[in-house]
Each structure stands twice: as C-alpha cells, then as structure tokens.
Amino acid sequence: MITFDAVTKRYPDGTVAVDRLDLEAPTGEITVLVGPSGCGKTTSLRMINRMIDATEGRILLDGAPVQDIDPPTLRRGIGYVIQQAGLFPHRKIVDNIATVPHLLGWDKKKARARAMELLERVGLDPGLAGRYPFQLSGGQQQRVGVARALAADPPVLLMDEPFSAVDPIVRTSLQDELLRLQAELNKTIVFVTHDIDEAIKLGDRVAVLRVGGKLAQVADPKTLLSDPADDFVREFLGRDRGIRRLQFISTEGLRLRTDMTGDAAGPWRLVVDADGRPTGWVSRERPDELEPYGTFVRGRDPMRSALDAALLSPSGCAVAVDEDGKVVGVATRETLDEALAEAADG
Amino acid sequence: MGDGPPSIWEWIARNWDTGRVGSIKNLLLDHLTMSLVPIVLALVVALPLGLACVRWRWLYQPTSGLMNVVYALPSLPVFMLLISVTGLSQTTVIIPLTFYGMAVLIPAVVDGLASVPDHVRQSAVAMGFTPLRRLISVELPIAVPVVLAGLRVVAVSSISLVSVGALIGQGGLGGLFTRAYQNPFMPPVIVGIVLIVALALVADGLLVLAQRLLTPWVRARKGAGS
Ligand SMILES: Nc1ncnc2c1ncn2[C@@H]1O[C@H](COP(=O)(O)OP(=O)(O)O)[C@@H](O)[C@H]1O
Ligand SMILES: [Mg+2]
C-alpha cells in the first residue's frame, strides 16, 4: 500500500503543486489520479519514487517512509511508464525491456529470457525484439514501455498518462490489455490521467484532484458517478455522468419477459435456432424478414450494454442470453424503463 | 643539361623515400602526426570540459566565448607567438590545432548531450540509474552522432590546416607548397594537394564508418524512409 500522509509540494518559485494530500493506494488495486492539467498529478506520482521530494508530509510504501530509501534502490523496485514511453533510442527492444534486470545485476541470459517473456505478455510479436524503438508504432512503443516497467516484477507500478498520445482505438486496446495484465499480476498501480472516461474504466479507486493540488474526492467509480462530492467533481465528470453510471448498474435483477418467442408475442417475435440462440426479430407486418437484434449477458454485462442492445434493434428490445449465448429472456422498453427509474432513485 | 624537367611520376619516384627529412614519405608521416595528435587531444579535453559545461551551466557561456575567440585568431601569428615558447617544433603546430578542435568539439559535446530527449532522461532516472551510470550508458551513447559529426569537421580542418605550419618549417605536406615559391615547378604542389585531400577523405571515411558501427540506430533511422 502507498500512503500519502499530509503531503505538500511547494516548488522553489512558490507554486503549490500538491496541498496536504492524504491518500491511500491499496495493494493490488488500480488507483487513478484524475484532474485538469496542472492540478499536481505528475508531481504527486513522482514524489512516490522520489523523482521529486515532498516539501512537507510523508509518503509511505507498505509503512516505510520513502525518504528513508536510497532513490536508485527505491526506483528499481517501482515500475514507471510515461506518455512518450521514454524508450532508449540506442537500445534494441529486448535490451530496453531488460533495463532494470540489468541494473539489478541479473544474469544476462535470465534478463533476456525475462524480456522475451514480457514481450509476448504485453501482446507483441517476439520478432520485434531485435528492432530499435523508432521502428515501432506509438502503440507498440507504449507496450514496450509497460513491459520494461514490469521486467523486474516490481510490486508497484506508476503510470503517467501512458496512453494519452496514441489514437483512440489503440488506446482502448492498451487499456483492455492493462486490465487483463492486472487481473493476472495484481500490482499496486497508481495511474495518472486527465481523461475521466479512462479513470472510470481503469480505476478501482479514483481520486479527483483540483488545481492547486487539493484532493476533491476519492471513491470507487460507481460512487463517484452517483454521489459527486461537490460542483467541481460534478462538472469534471461531465454531462454523460448519467449514461456512464449505467456501466456500474447490474442486469442481474432486470425483469425479463420469456413469452417473446411464441406466437402470442405481440408486434415483434424473437426467432431462436435449435440450440436456443437468437437469429433475429420478425415483425407482424413482415413475417418473412429477419430484423437485427442485440444481446447482453444477464448478470455479467451492465445496464449500459442492455440499453445498447435495445437501441440496436428495430424491436426496441434487448435479448438476454446466458454465457453460452442461449436466450434466457427479453428486456422490453417497459422492463428497461423500470430498471432505469430504479437506478435514478438509488 | 639536355634533360627537360622530370615528369611528375619521375619526380615522385625520385623524392618518395630519399632518407632525408624532406622526402614525401616523411612529410606525409609528419602531416599525419601533426593532424591526428590535435584531433585526439581535442576530443580528450573537450569531453570532460563539455560535461562540466552541462553540469555547471554557467560555465558554458564563458567557455564557448573563449573558444570562439581562439577560433577567430589567425593561425600564423599564433604560430609566431608560440615559437618563442616551443620553438620551431611540431608542438607549435599541434597546440593551436588542438584549440581549434576544442572550439568545435566542446559545443558538439554540449549539443550532443542536449539532444537526449527529456523523456528518455526522465525514464532513465525513474528506472533507478545512478547519475554516473546514466551518463555512461544512456546520455553519452545518444550524444555520439552529434559528437562524431563535430569530429568529422575537426578531422578535415586539422588535416588541411597543418600545411600552414610550413611557414615556420613544420607543415608536413605543406612543405611541398613553399618550395614552389622558389621554383615554379608544379609536381610538388600537385602531389601536396592530392595527398592532403586524400588524407582528409580517408579520415572522413573512417569516421563515417565508425559512426555506422557505433550507432546502428541512427543509420537504421535514415534507412526507414517508409
Ligand atoms: N519544476 C517546477 N517548478 C515550478 N512549478 C512546477 C514545476 N513542475 C510543475 N510545476 C507546477 O506545478 C503544478 C502541477 O504540475 P503537474 O504536477 O505537472 O500537474 P499535472 O501533471 O496535473 O498536469 C502546475 O501549476 C505546474 O505549472
Ligand atoms: Mg502531468
């Protein structure tokens, strides 16, 4: 666990970048620091590995003040990923990844084997090992940056807007990759971003900072969306806050209709194949034509997916399926309405 | 004397290795010594001075100012001044050439280190490099292309400047030019020019080769035009 204990950073020019910050980043979780540009995110992050020293207060790493640890030693135990990846241009990819094992004096073969393992782990072709960084795309470089940070298997990972400089599609895949990796590795991650969507997607806990380096709110994403602490947080969460909340509302309790496959279904009837999987909707007016359908996995997918599925089909209904893709029922406009009304209350 | 003046080839054959100081071979060796020693000395001195200028930024302005003044000094009066200290020796040529080399190489070292992208330096710090190790295994290697570019300029200009030393009797192949004053006989001048240009080309070629071997990541960058 990383603990900020009344940490203040005042730069020599008098700028207070971080103001009496109290924050905990629990072990094995992703804690996201989010806030507008200049609110002290980078400063906070760099105080953890002592690239910047706090002016007041203490930062504890599993109870030990970081001030007591010699910086190079401290840093070799903390992975660090930044926006431009910061790869060494003069070193091949494999050597870039093996940087920290090399610093720690690992045997060359072992360091290399570890680097190759990580290259695959972050979803890169092992054939890239012998290339130089400039020969890789931005997204690939960023993956190498993550691999390099993980090379010596540090328990803590600091990430400063690591995915901000890549295009949205690549960013999404890097985010998914990080979540997949984290599910296997359970690192203590502090992730900095100015993008609230990214914060909500990645964070187990999200700390919202305001300019001047003051903590505005820290909460899990669901609570943040449903109960913003003040106008600043509400404003920062933006206009889509309501829609985003649906991401955190379960479809477990959603009422489903199971009579939509029979003849008595009404204007729309769901066609199901021999295995119980949906094939399409037919309308009473044009019984020979299959219309598109949308599905969600009940209990696993959130309300947002159910709503999305309903909007995808001219029937206005979302097909609920189980993990095998077999139809378990249908969420109609009425049942979705009920669930949304409930969400708005709760 | 029924013979006309000797052809250039005859002249070369006759003067290549006479065993005397002024043979073409000896002049060539002198020329090599007087140009290579300053190149090496300039690099050896410029490296720590350049590093010092990066470490203590206030040093850079005065140092580069002084070096520019040195660079602006015409070489002949400098030779004359030095004669009183070091006599009519090769040292009198080597000292100013070393300073000229430093005037180019100190800024090259400083610029080379400045060419290290900030995010690269930051990530080296974040990964736990000690300052010395960071310098040796990250910053200096990345500075190599810029320093080598400076070294190419220094090598070619040193090789060419040595000949001015002929005016004090220490000009290596430049000695072949001064004879032409006394006797308008062209072969020595032609041989001098050709050998000096050839030396410069060989030195430059070797440095380009060194650059390719030392910094494959730069060559590859040029190759990756797609
Ligand atoms: N080295 C520095 N000297 C003075 N002020 C700084 C320095 N670094 C950052 N700041 C200031 O501190 C504040 C927080 O900066 P930073 O931590 O980089 O914010 P963020 O990462 O959230 O954009 C900003 O006002 C910034 O201008
Ligand atoms: Mg920042």
Side-chain angles (χ1 to χ4, degrees):
Chain A
M1 179 157 79
I2 301 165
T3 314
F4 284 79
D5 178 12
V7 174
T8 295
K9 175 63 194 182
R10 199 174 298 110
Y11 282 108
D13 66 358
T15 311
V16 177
V18 178
D19 192 6
R20 292 193 66 79
L21 178 64
D22 287 306
L23 183 68
E24 283 179 355
T27 303
E29 288 190 9
I30 301 181
T31 302
V32 178
L33 302 183
V34 67
S37 175
C39 70
K41 306 180 294 291
T42 297
T43 304
S44 302
L45 198 71
R46 290 185 170 184
M47 286 192 289
I48 298 173
N49 69 357
R50 293 194 60 191
M51 290 173 77
I52 296 172
D53 274 321
T55 318
E56 285 159 33
R58 299 184 309 164
I59 294 175
L60 310 171
L61 204 61
D62 290 328
V66 293
Q67 270 78 1
D68 296 350
I69 310 171
D70 154 64
T73 311
L74 174 73
R75 292 169 191 154
R76 287 171 198 178
I78 298 179
Y80 191 80
V81 188
I82 53 174
Q83 189 176 329
Q84 305 96 325
L87 301 182
F88 298 148
H90 62 301
R91 292 215 179 140
K92 292 180 177 165
I93 298 306
V94 61
D95 300 320
N96 260 287
I97 298 176
T99 301
V100 180
H102 187 65
L103 284 175
L104 291 170
W106 288 22
D107 166 69
K108 271 219 170 78
K109 260 204 193 122
K110 186 181 160 203
R112 199 189 154 78
R114 173 72 178 155
M116 293 307 290
E117 177 199 328
L118 277 165
L119 200 58
E120 291 199 57
R121 194 138 206 189
V122 298
L124 286 172
D125 175 1
L128 297 178
R131 300 244 182 121
Y132 287 100
F134 73 91
Q135 295 170 305
L136 270 54
S137 71
Q140 288 173 324
Q141 291 192 25
Q142 215 44 261
R143 284 170 197 262
V144 174
V146 172
R148 181 172 68 168
L150 290 170
D153 205 18
V156 174
L157 213 54
L158 308 180
M159 309 182 85
D160 193 350
E161 312 225 10
F163 309 145
S164 300
V166 294
D167 67 67
I169 294 173
V170 175
R171 187 181 315 145
T172 303
S173 83
L174 287 169
Q175 290 166 344
D176 294 341
E177 197 82 8
L178 178 66
L179 289 174
R180 191 183 57 71
L181 273 173
Q182 172 66 351
E184 294 169 18
L185 302 174
N186 287 306
K187 301 288 180 192
T188 305
I189 299 178
V190 182
F191 190 106
V192 161
T193 180
H194 63 264
D195 175 358
I196 186 66
D197 285 313
E198 186 168 62
I200 283 168
K201 177 172 178 183
L202 298 179
D204 294 308
R205 283 155 60 85
V206 178
V208 184
L209 297 175
R210 65 173 105 237
V211 176
K214 279 193 159 58
L215 184 63
Q217 184 172 12
V218 51
D220 62 278
K222 185 182 171 199
T223 310
L224 196 67
L225 288 168
S226 59
D227 298 307
D230 57 22
D231 287 345
F232 169 78
V233 179
R234 196 170 295 120
E235 187 91 344
F236 192 72
L237 289 169
R239 308 192 67 137
D240 308 333
R241 182 163 67 88
I243 298 282
R244 285 211 213 91
R245 263 186 74 200
L246 295 176
Q247 193 72 35
F248 298 95
I249 293 171
S250 167
T251 47
E252 189 72 66
L254 187 63
R255 194 164 63 84
L256 299 177
R257 281 180 58 180
T258 48
D259 57 353
M260 303 283 287
T261 51
D263 291 333
W268 289 92
R269 184 170 64 84
L270 181 66
V271 182
V272 175
D273 70 10
D275 293 329
R277 296 193 173 84
T279 48
W281 289 98
V282 289
S283 65
R284 204 180 274 149
E285 289 82 41
R286 285 183 290 174
D288 298 328
E289 217 161 306
L290 273 182
E291 301 280 357
Y293 64 96
T295 64
F296 66 97
V297 177
R298 176 155 77 151
R300 191 194 71 188
D301 290 339
M303 275 301 288
R304 191 168 177 167
S305 305
L307 206 62
D308 196 52
L311 293 172
L312 278 175
S313 169
S315 67
C317 297
V319 181
V321 296
D322 61 16
E323 298 275 354
D324 297 327
K326 291 186 180 153
V327 176
V328 293
V330 169
T332 62
R333 287 213 171 111
E334 295 78 46
T335 62
L336 285 168
D337 262 358
E338 284 169 20
L340 290 179
E342 218 170 287
D345 289 344
Chain B
M1 305 282 168
D3 296 348
S7 80
I8 190 162
W9 298 114
E10 278 170 341
W11 184 84
I12 292 173
R14 215 180 293 158
N15 290 278
W16 172 250
D17 192 6
T18 56
R20 272 181 284 151
V21 188
S23 74
I24 304 175
K25 184 179 153 196
N26 284 341
L27 290 179
L28 182 64
L29 290 176
D30 287 349
H31 201 105
L32 263 180
T33 313
M34 282 185 287
S35 47
L36 282 186
V37 171
I39 297 170
V40 173
L41 278 181
L43 184 63
V44 167
V45 179
L47 210 57
L49 276 183
L51 288 174
C53 287
V54 171
R55 175 70 182 73
W56 298 285
R57 292 253 42 137
W58 56 266
L59 259 179
Y60 188 45
Q61 278 304 330
T63 308
S64 69
L66 185 70
M67 282 298 143
N68 280 337
V69 170
V70 168
Y71 201 67
L73 290 178
S75 47
L76 190 56
V78 176
F79 289 156
M80 296 305 178
L81 271 176
L82 276 172
I83 289 174
S84 62
V85 186
T86 47
L88 290 171
S89 66
Q90 294 194 342
T91 315
T92 308
V93 177
I94 287 172
I95 290 175
L97 288 190
T98 302
F99 276 95
Y100 292 158
M102 281 163 59
V104 175
L105 287 179
I106 291 175
V109 170
V110 173
D111 292 348
L113 289 172
S115 77
V116 179
D118 196 49
H119 61 99
V120 171
R121 190 177 282 117
Q122 295 283 353
S123 69
V125 171
M127 275 183 294
F129 279 82
T130 56
L132 182 66
R133 197 152 176 188
R134 189 176 83 223
L135 179 70
I136 292 170
S137 51
V138 179
E139 299 181 359
L140 283 178
I142 295 176
V144 163
V146 179
V147 175
L148 274 181
L151 208 56
R152 286 176 64 186
V153 173
V154 170
V156 172
S157 72
S158 282
I159 287 170
S160 146
L161 274 173
V162 163
S163 33
V164 181
L167 295 171
I168 59 160
Q170 289 290 354
L173 294 164
L176 296 173
F177 304 147
T178 43
R179 287 178 201 171
Y181 281 140
Q182 298 129 25
N183 176 0
F185 176 59
M186 286 316 281
V189 178
I190 295 167
V191 169
I193 291 174
V194 168
L195 283 181
I196 288 172
V197 170
L199 263 187
L201 287 179
V202 169
D204 197 49
L206 286 176
L207 284 170
V208 170
L209 190 69
Q211 189 158 9
R212 297 216 164 166
L213 294 177
L214 286 174
T215 60
W217 51 280
V218 175
R219 175 173 44 155
R221 175 174 315 190
K222 282 182 193 147
S226 57

